[in-house]
Amino acid sequence: MLRLRTLPPPHAWAAVRCVFQSKEFLVASKELPTTPEGRNPYDVLEITVTQATTLEDISKQFRSLVVKYHPDKPGGSTEKMAEVNLAHKIIKENHEVVLRRMREAESTIKANEVYRQHKHTRVSRDEELGRSGGVYRRNARAAREAAEASRPRHARSLREIEAQWEKYKEDTEVTVKSMCYRYELAIQQGKFFRKSATLNEITVRERWLRKSFLKGVWEDVHELRGELLRRGARSAQQSELAEEMVSFASTTQRKLNEDFQRLTQESVQLQSRMFVERTFFILCALVLFVKSWRWFIGFTFNNTLSVRLRKGMLSQ
């Protein structure tokens, strides 16, 4: 049965206090009975509900409102007092249920928030990997292959294959340059902040990205080369183009591997240098502490001894 919630009468608007409630409470109190004026009983008692709110806190607030709105008091009201009594009665009967629903709502809200963050992180990561040739590139290629498989296939001309190959080479070269520059920039950033954990994470991530990218390059090259060789009679131009595809993939792989080995070696040397510097700093600090402590002990002992000698000389 639907129940319409009406607004408080105009003469009671001045007595209405704005109470801010949490999202968990708003979810948990949807099925909570309301007062005849359509107000939430917790809002009537002017209580901000948390999971730590107890019946003792509610009774304490109820007593303060009774003192405030009692008809015998100045500014009291019989209607307001009846509303407060009814709200207190509703809360006593349903408070435990509200707390239980708040705990359930909190877990649900946290789970939804974690899912939204995970989804946002996944989308951002896919976009980033798409720019560098990672998972997003592979997913996009799979979607493109599925779309092409659904369409009727027709044999392309040699000129169309050559045009696609030239465009693919340009895109791959641009991606390779961006990957090399990105890894070098990441190492410089780790060097600036002097964090070994950051350098290790960057190295592992870059190894995985380059491996995925090279796998995609070889798959694309084999696909174009297979389409080229399935054209029937092979001309010298087709053979040269097929060899060029394999040579380009091998050159790209060698270039990425050499760049990765060079930058990884630089990262390892940087981590070793950072370890030596930190060890030297700790040893210097330890030596300085020992010398300071010895100086302090010696200074204190000498002063104490001189005071004793002076006292002995004066006593004589």
Side-chain angles (χ1 to χ4, degrees):
M1 178 179 179
L2 296 177
R3 177 171 53 190
L4 299 178
R5 296 189 176 185
T6 59
L7 293 174
H11 67 272
W13 288 357
V16 176
R17 177 187 171 190
C18 183
V19 180
F20 295 96
Q21 304 288 3
S22 63
K23 187 185 298 184
E24 294 84 359
F25 174 77
L26 296 178
V27 174
S29 62
K30 286 183 178 180
E31 300 180 1
L32 185 67
T34 59
T35 61
E37 290 78 10
R39 297 185 61 195
N40 191 299
Y42 289 94
D43 293 341
V44 173
L45 295 187
E46 302 175 0
I47 298 175
T48 300
V49 185
T50 63
Q51 294 188 14
T53 304
T54 61
L55 289 175
E56 295 180 359
D57 301 332
I58 296 171
S59 299
K60 183 178 179 181
Q61 178 66 11
F62 169 71
R63 287 192 294 269
S64 64
L65 292 180
V66 167
V67 173
K68 180 179 179 181
Y69 295 115
H70 196 275
D72 297 338
K73 298 288 183 179
S77 172
T78 305
E79 294 81 3
K80 184 64 178 178
M81 193 64 213
E83 185 181 15
V84 169
N85 289 328
L86 179 59
H88 185 240
K89 180 180 178 181
I90 295 174
I91 291 175
K92 285 198 301 183
E93 295 175 354
N94 299 275
H95 185 64
E96 296 298 331
V97 178
V98 170
L99 292 182
R100 177 174 55 81
R101 290 177 179 173
M102 282 183 66
R103 289 191 292 268
E104 296 175 355
E106 182 182 9
S107 61
T108 303
I109 291 172
K110 286 184 178 180
N112 293 336
E113 185 65 25
V114 170
Y115 173 74
R116 283 195 294 269
Q117 292 179 358
H118 171 73
K119 186 176 180 181
H120 176 71
T121 305
R122 179 73 178 273
V123 172
S124 302
R125 187 180 301 170
D126 284 351
E127 292 177 354
E128 181 181 359
L129 295 179
R131 292 190 293 269
S132 60
V135 173
Y136 183 78
R137 178 188 178 93
R138 186 168 64 249
N139 293 342
R141 184 173 60 254
R144 186 174 65 252
E145 290 176 355
E148 291 178 356
S150 61
R151 296 196 302 266
R153 300 183 62 87
H154 64 281
R156 293 189 297 176
S157 63
L158 181 60
R159 182 174 299 178
E160 292 177 349
I161 296 177
E162 289 179 348
Q164 182 182 358
W165 171 244
E166 293 297 331
K167 186 177 184 304
Y168 180 78
K169 280 202 306 182
E170 293 178 0
D171 296 342
T172 304
E173 289 174 355
V174 171
T175 305
V176 168
K177 290 181 181 179
S178 64
M179 291 178 72
C180 296
Y181 175 73
R182 183 196 60 217
Y183 189 28
E184 186 175 1
L185 185 64
I187 290 180
Q188 294 298 328
Q189 183 180 3
K191 179 180 179 181
F192 178 78
F193 290 104
R194 308 185 68 81
K195 292 184 178 180
S196 302
T198 303
L199 292 174
N200 292 331
E201 182 180 356
I202 290 172
T203 302
V204 173
R205 180 174 178 272
E206 191 66 25
R207 181 186 293 112
W208 180 80
L209 284 176
R210 297 197 179 199
K211 183 178 179 180
S212 301
F213 176 74
L214 289 174
K215 181 180 178 181
V217 169
W218 278 109
E219 289 178 356
D220 293 339
V221 166
H222 283 305
E223 180 182 356
L224 285 174
R225 186 171 178 271
E227 183 180 0
L228 182 65
L229 298 179
R230 284 194 300 268
R231 289 178 48 81
R234 301 179 185 177
S235 61
Q237 186 178 3
Q238 291 182 3
S239 301
E240 291 178 0
L241 185 58
E243 293 177 359
E244 180 185 355
M245 291 179 180
V246 177
S247 176
F248 176 78
S250 301
T251 304
T252 302
Q253 182 175 1
R254 184 172 61 255
K255 181 178 180 180
L256 285 177
N257 290 338
E258 291 176 355
D259 181 77
F260 179 77
Q261 292 176 1
R262 178 180 62 84
L263 294 176
T264 303
Q265 186 177 3
E266 181 180 348
S267 175
V268 172
Q269 293 176 357
L270 178 61
Q271 293 183 50
S272 302
R273 193 181 307 116
M274 291 167 57
F275 175 76
V276 172
E277 291 176 357
R278 290 173 181 173
T279 305
F280 178 75
F281 176 77
I282 293 173
L283 291 177
C284 290
L286 184 61
V287 170
L288 182 61
F289 174 76
V290 171
K291 288 187 175 182
S292 302
W293 181 253
R294 290 181 60 184
W295 175 83
F296 175 75
I297 295 297
F299 179 76
T300 306
F301 178 76
N302 291 335
N303 287 346
T304 306
L305 183 60
S306 61
V307 169
R308 290 180 179 177
L309 289 176
R310 289 175 185 175
K311 288 183 178 180
M313 293 175 64
L314 291 175
S315 62
Q316 292 177 0

